[in-house]
Amino acid sequence: MIWRLVVLGGVCVCLLAAEGKSRGGRMVTFRRTQRDESQGQVRERPRRETSGSSGTSKLSHGPAFTSCRLPLTPAEHKVLDDNTHETGFNGDDGSYVILTWVGDGTGVILVLSTISAPLDSFLEGGSSRLYRSTDYGKSFHDISHRINNTFIREEFGVSVGPGSSVILTADTAVVDNPGGIIFTSTDAGATFKFIQLPFHLAQPITYHFLNHDYLVALSIDGGLWLSLDFGAKWTKVHDGVHSFSWGAGVNLFFSCSRVDTVEADERGDLVLKRTKDLGKTFTTIHEDIYSFGYIGAFLFFSVMEDSRSPRVMYFSSDQGDTFSRALLPSASTEQFYSILDGDEDMLFMHVDNPGDTYFGTMYTSDDRGILFSKSLERHLFDGHRKSDFTNITSLRGVYLTNKLDEDGRIRSVISFNRGGMWQQLNKPENVDCTEQTKNCNLHIHGEHSRNNRIVPMLALSEPTAIGLVIAHGTVGDSLSSSQHPDVFVSSDGGYNWRGTLRGPHHYSILDSGGLIVAVEAQREGQVKTIKFSTDEGQCWKSYNFTEQPFFFAGLASEPGTKAMNVSVWGFRPEEDGQPMWVAVTIDFQSLITRECNDQDYEEWLAHSTEGEDSERNGCVLGIKETYRRLKKQSVCRNGKSFVVSKKQRPCLCTREDYLCDYGYYRHVNTSECVRQPNAANKTLEICLNGEEDELLTAGYRKVPSDKCEGGFTPQHAVQTVIRPCGVKPSPGPPARSSSPETHFDTPRERLVLILVCAGAGFIVLVAIVSALLAVKRVVYRNRTPVYRFSNLRIQDDENGMTADLESATSSNGTVCQQDSDDDLIE
């Protein structure tokens, strides 16, 4: 994701919040560019303005609300002054600053200052520098000499793996060099080892997600290389490789060409292979592959059955041992597909409507990734091919997104049971709409608004900060870009909200939710003030962290939200006209000194609402969860050792624990699953793994990961009859004839009878098989739509950020490829 902030002085600052190459969320990139530089972007469609936008008109303020402001006492001010540390990177001409946290709780930060340019450009004066901090960013030391002052490739950044492993990739000319150069460290950058590679890298080296010694790399000539000793030795395991991805365990998937070369016109003629023993043996999963990816526990790949046919999608939930074609109802060949999110239980998929409609339909899968059911209609997907779909990670089962209604307005909806039902967000408790407002609800700005530069950040939630959600939004009938976005906070996972800060801000969660910090987004001017709250945004205090304001680039804090310090990054123009990078680190641990005790926590029943029947209150996805969390009025430290504590117990099943099955949809404002008008009959036959599954459904299926017991059961339980594909069930006993018996007594008669029966049986068998094949073709032609798939992309759980698979990592920290033109899987 990129936050663009236009400031004075002819300079534009972009904060590129990049996912770590090896471990998501550990790396952020700050970019400094001149305002007159080209900022062109590739867009598939023209931009759609948010309803209510008025181009260049002045923004109005939304409904008023009040939030508590507390003054900072002189004693508090002095404590913060004594624990605020500013670092100026004098003489550093890097246009990019890449921050990477190394290890867990080590306090080590590596900062790479570099440029993004061809090799010959830095020969004219450009350089890269490497800095290291061991005290959470309070001080930095230049350690460029440890990597021989080598120029490091910006696009490869700093790769951090399990433990304290680090890899830096040098920018090496291909000509006259046998291979590239990397620097490896196993002690968080205290020392580095120089390694000459026997090949030139085409993309960053990929760690195994558990064992940092296992490395995979792709060379510029399509070679797949594997190291089992953290890069000391490399072995080529395959040629002609186009892309690869780690799976579960040591499963490694890759697509390759048939003739060991990778050309653009060979896409669709690739072979998907797997090795389960680190390159010793290989298994072919499927041929005619166009693209593939891996998310959660699902392997998915698109196939071109011939050069004239569209691509179709297959899924596997057992590491490629078996796979099946995805069945999506009400689809056409003009639509593109986007995987929004996924885990070991299910997938969320967006199916776009034909044309430039900016919306489509969201579907959820079963636990095999094969059958998809309608979850939300008119789901917004803007002209940048971006979705506002967000996983609220602070509470199980909660997802947030926006829809484009028939009146052309964008409205926010939220689901508390993994897409089973969607509803509008409640009006914030401290905000009132005018009498002219038809409907008064909170609407959240997402990726669509961020791309249009309306807000600087997306909704933020963290698994350790139970129930806490921070987001930009507007209050009214629909989302509006003609109003200033304000910051709203929810403490119960999105059920209830309150306005907390006026205007757009950058924000971060610290101390597992015990502390929130924010810096106002200044479109023009410089910053010097940070705001902080110890009660989940009910009250705020402000602190001036510097006497010399600077242009803001972004906030940086240690991943995992357990830290109590935050760094404010930016740059300050110098007298010689060269901007100087500045980092100010504020340590709140000295301000909030008391450790929390048992009296500071309370028991909180998640998903509970007042007035609901006590037996069902809090039941979501089949279980009740009671958390132990910090009281809002407690001013204390959760600390580094804080662990989320919860109790679970199962609930009785209701209709809310079920999704609508294949060919059904949930009727508006009801909980009933209704058959789609164009759906096939109740019996759905699909061929899975060489067996034919005949599924008889009552229109419901349990939500994946739902743990309810007893209670509601669909009227007719789902029945599955399994038999070999193409073989009819065994016939029953013949009916007894009432006519006199006919006897064949002589051997000649019996021989003639045997020959006649054999011949007749053969003819009947041929006829039956032919009829079955013909019927099967008709059934699949009528029931299974043909889909096109391309542009593989995955949306990350962290902040709802979307990253191209070509340059980002999948859910297990592995790199997948980007597909091509019209369609995408996100």
Side-chain angles (χ1 to χ4, degrees):
M1 320 184 311
I2 302 175
W3 290 266
R4 290 182 176 84
L5 182 62
V6 181
V7 296
L8 291 176
V11 178
C12 172
V13 177
C14 301
L15 168 60
L16 175 65
E19 178 184 58
K21 294 288 189 277
S22 301
R23 305 180 73 183
R26 288 194 170 273
M27 187 173 73
V28 292
T29 302
F30 304 113
R31 179 183 178 190
R32 185 183 65 218
T33 61
Q34 296 301 315
R35 189 172 183 174
D36 59 355
E37 287 185 7
S38 173
Q39 297 291 329
Q41 288 187 343
V42 177
R43 290 209 314 245
E44 297 291 339
R45 308 177 186 178
R47 175 186 300 177
R48 175 186 177 85
E49 296 296 336
T50 307
S51 60
S53 65
S54 54
T56 58
S57 62
K58 187 176 181 180
L59 296 180
S60 63
H61 288 282
F65 63 83
T66 58
S67 58
C68 174
R69 296 291 184 271
L70 298 176
L72 198 66
T73 67
E76 291 173 328
H77 202 290
K78 184 178 187 308
V79 169
L80 288 176
D81 282 345
D82 292 341
N83 291 276
T84 297
H85 310 270
E86 180 172 322
T87 302
F89 297 85
N90 295 295
D92 194 316
D93 57 359
S95 58
Y96 287 82
V97 168
I98 303 171
L99 283 78
T100 305
W101 281 263
V102 186
D104 294 322
T106 63
V108 175
I109 305 174
L110 292 180
V111 173
L112 176 66
S113 171
T114 186
I115 62 175
S116 178
L119 186 64
D120 56 359
S121 65
F122 66 82
L123 296 178
E124 300 176 0
S127 64
S128 64
R129 294 185 183 179
L130 183 65
Y131 304 92
R132 185 171 186 259
S133 172
T134 58
D135 52 11
Y136 295 93
K138 297 176 183 178
S139 61
F140 289 90
H141 303 280
D142 190 336
I143 61 168
S144 304
H145 62 279
R146 297 181 188 175
I147 56 171
N148 302 329
N149 296 296
T150 305
F151 186 81
I152 302 300
R153 299 182 63 169
E154 176 273 331
E155 64 271 26
F156 285 12
V158 182
S159 297
V160 178
S164 299
S165 55
V166 180
I167 297 177
L168 301 175
T169 303
D171 197 330
T172 307
V174 176
V175 180
D176 299 329
N177 285 293
I181 295 173
I182 62 173
F183 296 89
T184 63
S185 173
T186 57
D187 53 12
T191 60
F192 281 92
K193 180 181 179 181
F194 172 94
I195 295 178
Q196 176 74 57
L197 299 176
F199 56 90
H200 287 279
L201 286 166
Q203 62 187 41
I205 292 173
T206 300
Y207 291 88
H208 186 271
F209 50 92
L210 293 177
N211 189 338
H212 78 269
D213 286 333
Y214 292 173
L215 304 177
V216 183
L218 188 64
S219 62
I220 59 175
D221 59 357
L224 185 66
W225 294 77
L226 185 66
S227 174
L228 304 181
D229 53 9
F230 195 45
K233 297 179 181 179
W234 291 86
T235 302
K236 181 189 284 190
V237 296
H238 211 284
D239 287 308
V241 173
H242 183 272
S243 60
F244 64 89
S245 173
W246 284 110
V250 293
N251 284 296
L252 180 63
F253 302 100
F254 61 93
S255 60
C256 61
S257 66
R258 302 174 191 269
V259 292
D260 293 342
T261 58
V262 179
E263 302 294 340
D265 58 2
E266 290 180 351
R267 300 294 299 279
D269 196 31
L270 300 174
V271 179
L272 179 60
K273 294 186 177 182
R274 177 193 67 193
T275 174
K276 302 173 67 174
D277 50 16
L278 300 174
K280 296 177 182 177
T281 60
F282 302 94
T283 300
T284 296
I285 295 177
H286 206 287
E287 298 183 347
D288 302 323
I289 292 295
Y290 191 87
S291 58
F292 85 96
Y294 189 93
I295 181 172
F298 293 96
L299 171 70
F300 51 92
F301 52 93
S302 59
V303 176
M304 293 186 68
E305 296 177 343
D306 61 64
S307 59
R308 296 171 296 178
S309 68
R311 295 180 286 279
V312 295
M313 181 58 64
Y314 290 83
F315 285 87
S316 173
S317 58
D318 57 8
Q319 302 297 303
D321 289 338
T322 59
F323 51 86
S324 301
R325 181 172 173 175
L327 297 179
L328 284 163
S330 305
S332 75
T333 57
E334 299 179 8
Q335 300 164 328
F336 68 78
Y337 296 76
S338 169
I339 293 181
L340 304 171
D341 191 30
D343 56 22
E344 66 277 3
D345 293 320
M346 66 179 294
L347 296 167
F348 285 88
M349 177 176 280
H350 171 94
V351 181
D352 192 47
N353 272 33
D356 292 337
T357 61
Y358 300 95
F359 68 86
T361 303
M362 185 192 304
Y363 293 89
T364 54
S365 78
D366 64 357
D367 56 2
R368 296 182 298 185
I370 302 169
L371 300 181
F372 286 80
S373 298
K374 185 183 295 185
S375 175
L376 178 68
E377 295 182 312
R378 302 191 68 88
H379 181 232
L380 177 68
F381 222 89
D382 75 0
H384 297 273
R385 293 282 177 87
K386 300 290 186 181
S387 167
D388 290 345
F389 184 85
T390 303
N391 179 9
I392 303 302
T393 59
S394 60
L395 194 61
R396 184 179 62 96
V398 183
Y399 291 85
L400 177 70
T401 194
N402 285 321
K403 58 184 298 189
L404 180 63
D405 283 332
E406 293 182 359
D407 60 2
R409 294 182 176 273
I410 297 174
R411 294 182 174 91
S412 296
V413 289
I414 192 169
S415 174
F416 298 103
N417 61 347
R418 303 198 77 182
M421 296 183 67
W422 296 85
Q423 64 190 61
Q424 286 195 310
L425 280 71
N426 291 328
K427 176 187 73 69
E429 58 189 39
N430 61 339
V431 180
D432 291 314
C433 294
T434 62
E435 294 182 356
Q436 292 76 20
T437 304
K438 183 177 180 181
N439 297 299
C440 189
N441 297 94
L442 174 63
H443 302 277
I444 300 299
H445 286 284
E447 190 73 39
H448 176 74
S449 297
R450 192 190 61 78
N451 280 334
N452 290 333
R453 305 183 187 183
I454 298 172
V455 296
M457 284 192 68
L458 303 180
L460 178 64
S461 61
E462 294 287 349
T464 59
I466 298 300
L468 181 60
V469 189
I470 313 174
H472 288 97
T474 58
V475 179
D477 179 65
S478 62
L479 192 66
S480 175
S481 63
S482 63
Q483 289 184 7
H484 278 288
D486 296 318
V487 179
F488 298 85
V489 170
S490 173
S491 297
D492 56 8
Y495 285 93
N496 298 287
W497 298 80
R498 63 178 289 111
T500 185
L501 291 172
R502 297 289 279 180
H505 283 70
H506 297 262
Y507 38 74
S508 184
I509 298 173
L510 305 178
D511 191 35
S512 301
L515 180 65
I516 304 173
V517 296
V519 174
E520 187 172 359
Q522 298 283 351
R523 292 188 177 274
E524 296 182 353
Q526 304 178 40
V527 299
K528 65 176 182 178
T529 304
I530 191 169
K531 304 171 185 178
F532 64 94
S533 170
T534 59
D535 53 12
E536 297 186 350
Q538 290 187 331
C539 291
W540 293 85
K541 295 184 178 182
S542 298
Y543 168 63
N544 293 334
F545 55 82
T546 183
E547 295 180 355
Q548 294 180 285
F550 53 78
F551 294 112
F552 178 79
L555 290 175
S557 59
E558 185 182 25
T561 72
K562 292 190 176 184
M564 293 201 64
N565 47 57
V566 64
S567 296
V568 184
W569 280 79
F571 63 92
R572 184 181 293 131
E574 295 295 282
E575 294 180 357
D576 59 0
Q578 176 65 43
M580 178 183 70
W581 283 106
V582 178
V584 177
T585 298
I586 307 158
D587 187 357
F588 288 92
Q589 185 167 282
S590 299
L591 181 66
I592 306 172
T593 57
R594 187 175 68 85
E595 297 285 345
C596 297
N597 55 45
D598 290 341
Q599 285 70 39
D600 293 305
Y601 295 93
E602 63 182 356
E603 298 287 310
W604 177 65
L605 177 60
H607 297 286
S608 60
T609 55
E610 294 182 3
E612 187 176 338
D613 176 67
S614 59
E615 186 62 29
R616 290 292 307 167
N617 196 20
C619 284
V620 169
L621 295 173
I623 57 175
K624 289 187 178 184
E625 292 181 313
T626 302
Y627 290 90
R628 178 176 178 265
R629 68 174 189 175
L630 190 66
K631 297 177 182 177
K632 291 185 179 63
Q633 64 269 26
S634 295
V635 182
C636 58
R637 293 201 311 244
N638 281 313
K640 292 277 188 178
S641 60
F642 175 78
V643 177
V644 174
S645 174
K646 65 180 178 181
K647 302 174 184 177
Q648 293 183 335
R649 65 184 182 92
C651 303
L652 291 176
C653 296
T654 67
R655 281 189 176 90
E656 294 181 356
D657 297 297
Y658 288 82
L659 294 175
C660 298
D661 209 340
Y662 179 87
Y664 289 77
Y665 70 97
R666 198 176 296 276
H667 193 272
V668 179
N669 298 326
T670 74
S671 59
E672 297 289 336
C673 290
V674 181
R675 186 191 306 281
Q676 291 180 216
N678 59 343
N681 56 33
K682 273 193 173 184
T683 300
L684 171 68
E685 297 177 3
I686 55 178
C687 190
L688 302 173
N689 314 327
E691 294 180 329
E692 186 175 86
D693 285 9
E694 184 178 288
L695 304 178
L696 180 61
T697 175
Y700 296 88
R701 61 182 171 85
K702 188 176 284 189
V703 175
S705 75
D706 194 295
K707 308 300 182 184
C708 71
E709 299 176 358
F712 170 79
T713 302
Q715 184 176 2
H716 301 290
V718 175
Q719 302 175 17
T720 303
V721 180
I722 301 178
R723 60 177 181 265
C725 292
V727 179
K728 294 180 67 176
S730 300
R736 188 174 296 274
S737 175
S738 59
S739 61
E741 291 186 0
T742 302
H743 299 278
F744 297 88
D745 296 323
T746 67
R748 182 180 181 84
E749 288 175 330
R750 286 194 291 270
L751 178 61
V752 171
L753 176 63
I754 292 172
L755 292 175
V756 171
C757 291
F762 178 78
I763 293 173
V764 172
L765 180 61
V766 171
I768 290 174
V769 172
S770 300
L772 285 174
L773 291 176
V775 170
K776 209 65 171 178
R777 282 193 292 268
V778 172
V779 169
Y780 276 93
R781 187 180 304 120
N782 293 335
R783 291 186 183 179
T784 308
V786 179
Y787 315 116
R788 293 186 302 161
F789 295 86
S790 66
N791 248 13
L792 288 180
R793 300 160 68 94
I794 283 183
Q795 177 161 311
D796 186 66
D797 289 343
E798 304 257 335
N799 253 355
M801 297 185 296
T802 304
D804 290 346
L805 283 181
E806 184 178 65
S807 60
T809 65
S810 67
S811 59
N812 67 347
T814 61
V815 176
C816 305
Q817 81 287 4
Q818 181 181 352
D819 215 340
S820 68
D821 45 14
D822 299 324
D823 310 325
L824 59 91
I825 295 176
E826 182 171 76

